[in-house]
Amino acid sequence: MLVNSVVIFRETLEALTSVLFPAPCQICDSVLTNASLLPICNGCLASLAPFKGPCCATCGRPFLSEIATDAAVPLCFACRRSTYGFDSARSYGEYNDRMSRAIGLLKYERLTRLGGWFAARLEEKIRAEPELFAADVAVPVPLHPARQRERGYNQAELIARPLARKLKLPLGAYLLVRTKPRPPRLLLSRRERWQTVRGAYEIRKGTRVDNLRVLLIDDVFTTGATLDACARALKQAGAKSVAGITVARVLSRGSAFSGRPAELSKNQTSVGSI
Ligand SMILES: [Zn+2]
Ligand SMILES: [Zn+2]
């Protein structure tokens, strides 16, 4: 009884304290002075900036120089080699330090309201190029069931659910399944990223995607291997088109080519083969 009273007292005190002394910005630790629904200061929100300027017409990779955009349909090196299985992809902004902290809040702290904020940004991106994103269903990139059980939720779905609502699309969170788990190591090389997702996604048994135009949603575009593997699974099952959208994109400035390693390109229809 006494223990219960102590717990209740402590919870009440914490609730009061959080009103009187709100938690600092979850990204930079500065005191929050704005009355926002997000525990992120205005400066940090402003630094989660959208890409501006020319990009690859297919995968959305921003061009760092104007020279690359001379062609009528500007394509990056990877897309000139038809690397990806999706028809098009775009990302909201760069995966920099603050963006990585923000995505971490979504991924590990289940900050649902941030999912809504990102969804609003992605909606703007989609409305700017509606022809790329004509879709019948919105599908979040799934986690492996073991990972989802452990985490309790899928961060891509925290973005996809409010985005589907804004776009008035049905949410097809059940359509794709990840059948191959991600290796436990946190950091993977570019080659490993491609290898670990190859054939890692399937259409859920008993569902159909024939002739559907799919909008795939994920948090980060690193090498494009994940969106590629999902798109190949969807297309093999008859999807008409697949457009991907992610909140952030990793820009590999050191390497001009972030696409599928050459030795993996030979078997372009390898979905489900592992
Ligand atoms: Zn901040
Ligand atoms: Zn490209």
Side-chain angles (χ1 to χ4, degrees):
M1 193 64 184
L2 182 66
V3 173
N4 272 348
S5 309
V6 169
V7 169
I8 290 166
F9 176 73
R10 202 181 59 212
E11 282 174 355
T12 312
L13 197 66
E14 277 171 4
L16 267 175
T17 313
S18 71
V19 171
L20 295 174
F21 308 103
C25 169
Q26 298 293 294
I27 293 180
C28 72
D29 265 350
S30 70
V31 177
L32 281 177
T33 50
N34 53 323
S36 165
L37 288 173
L38 289 173
I40 300 175
C41 74
N42 285 338
C44 284
L45 275 182
S47 72
L48 307 178
F51 283 128
K52 289 205 172 81
C55 69
C56 170
T58 298
C59 75
R61 179 185 170 88
F63 290 127
L64 302 175
S65 85
E66 295 287 329
I67 304 160
T69 64
D70 282 351
V73 180
L75 293 178
C76 73
F77 185 69
C79 291
R80 271 183 269 139
R81 291 166 44 136
S82 304
T83 296
Y84 301 118
F86 47 77
D87 298 277
S88 52
R90 293 291 183 269
S91 306
Y92 167 70
E94 185 179 354
Y95 190 74
N96 53 25
D97 282 353
R98 290 192 188 186
M99 185 65 96
S100 124
R101 297 280 294 272
I103 301 250
L105 292 173
L106 196 68
K107 208 163 167 171
Y108 304 111
E109 310 287 333
R110 200 177 191 163
L111 190 53
T112 313
R113 284 193 300 263
L114 186 58
W117 189 85
F118 280 142
R121 308 285 82 75
L122 295 187
E123 184 194 9
E124 289 163 14
K125 193 90 192 164
I126 287 168
R127 301 239 184 255
E129 292 185 282
E131 67 289 351
L132 289 187
F133 293 102
D136 303 303
V137 64
V139 177
V141 167
L143 294 176
H144 187 269
R147 171 66 69 94
Q148 175 139 358
R149 267 197 305 276
E150 178 192 316
R151 191 173 290 170
Y153 62 98
N154 172 8
Q155 75 277 6
E157 199 175 324
L158 298 186
I159 306 161
R161 187 172 292 279
L163 182 58
R165 208 179 306 125
K166 286 171 189 298
L167 299 172
K168 299 191 168 51
L169 286 176
L171 182 74
Y174 53 89
L175 285 176
L176 266 182
V177 279
R178 180 159 186 165
T179 51
K180 221 168 89 174
R182 190 188 188 281
R185 280 193 306 117
L186 209 57
L187 291 173
L188 299 175
S189 70
R190 177 171 72 85
R191 180 187 306 274
E192 286 168 332
R193 283 181 182 278
W194 279 95
Q195 281 167 342
T196 55
V197 294
R198 191 154 65 132
Y201 297 90
E202 281 176 10
I203 305 304
R204 189 180 298 277
K205 287 188 179 57
T207 62
R208 292 166 71 95
V209 294
D210 321 13
N211 236 10
L212 285 184
R213 296 167 304 170
V214 177
L215 174 65
L216 255 182
I217 298 139
D218 206 1
D219 51 356
V220 186
F221 183 119
T222 306
T223 59
T226 301
L227 288 186
D228 173 78
C230 290
R232 286 176 196 279
L234 286 160
K235 287 203 165 179
Q236 203 177 45
K240 193 170 168 185
S241 63
V242 179
I245 188 130
T246 71
V247 168
R249 174 147 183 164
V250 175
L251 294 184
S252 47
R253 287 197 171 81
S255 141
F257 178 57
S258 64
R260 170 181 287 251
E263 66 273 27
L264 294 182
S265 300
K266 289 173 202 136
N267 189 0
Q268 293 269 316
T269 52
S270 60
V271 168
S273 65
I274 294 177

